[in-house]
Amino acid sequence: MKRTFWVILGQAAIIFIYLWIASYLFQILQVKANEMERFYSYLLFSQTAYIPVGFLMGSGQMIREWKKEGRFRVNPLLIALLVVPALYILFVPYFLPFPSITPAIILTNPSAGTVIQIMAGYALVRSIQKKK
């Protein structure tokens, strides 16, 4: 029980530190985008910054899988149903020059991108499992 507490506390601390650093980087990239009128680095960072938070949230499961016997396998259904659509929503409307089928309400909601990034990172980590 004590070990679980410390693992969760450690994960929370790492996530908090990561979010603090990401916020700082957002400020720097936003200033540079405004000064130089080069916004691709800011846009790329803003569309990927929270994916590692999802990785960190799923890292406990990954550690449990690592300790099991067997070979690592990727769950293609989880990738196809969660990760690919999330990456589509995050990148197609902003980086590829063809029309997107993503509803405008998702693109204009400031918190939707963050949630989708965390979901993509978490689903990617959870899709890796060991099978005998």
Side-chain angles (χ1 to χ4, degrees), residues 60-117:
Q61 177 67 26
M62 177 57 87
I63 291 169
R64 284 189 289 279
E65 289 291 326
W66 191 273
K67 293 178 180 180
K68 290 181 182 178
E69 294 293 323
R71 295 180 57 180
F72 280 108
R73 305 271 186 203
V74 174
N75 182 343
L77 187 61
L78 196 56
I79 297 289
L81 294 178
L82 287 175
V83 177
V84 171
L87 294 177
Y88 175 84
I89 291 169
L90 291 172
F91 291 112
V92 168
Y94 303 103
F95 293 104
L96 300 176
F98 55 84
S100 170
I101 60 171
T102 306
I105 195 162
I106 291 176
L107 297 176
T108 57
N109 185 341
S111 60
T114 304
V115 172
I116 292 168
Q117 289 176 51

Side-chain angles (χ1 to χ4, degrees), residues 16-88:
F16 177 77
I17 292 167
Y18 177 80
L19 291 174
W20 183 74
I21 292 169
S23 297
Y24 182 71
L25 289 174
F26 266 119
Q27 288 178 339
I28 292 171
L29 289 172
Q30 189 173 26
V31 168
K32 287 190 179 208
N34 286 334
E35 289 174 354
M36 304 173 92
E37 295 184 7
R38 291 185 187 174
F39 56 90
Y40 284 111
S41 59
Y42 173 75
L43 190 58
L44 182 63
F45 186 72
S46 68
Q47 294 303 102
T48 59
Y50 298 109
I51 292 174
V53 173
F55 288 156
L56 291 168
M57 289 174 66
S59 64
Q61 177 67 26
M62 177 57 87
I63 291 169
R64 284 189 289 279
E65 289 291 326
W66 191 273
K67 293 178 180 180
K68 290 181 182 178
E69 294 293 323
R71 295 180 57 180
F72 280 108
R73 305 271 186 203
V74 174
N75 182 343
L77 187 61
L78 196 56
I79 297 289
L81 294 178
L82 287 175
V83 177
V84 171
L87 294 177
Y88 175 84

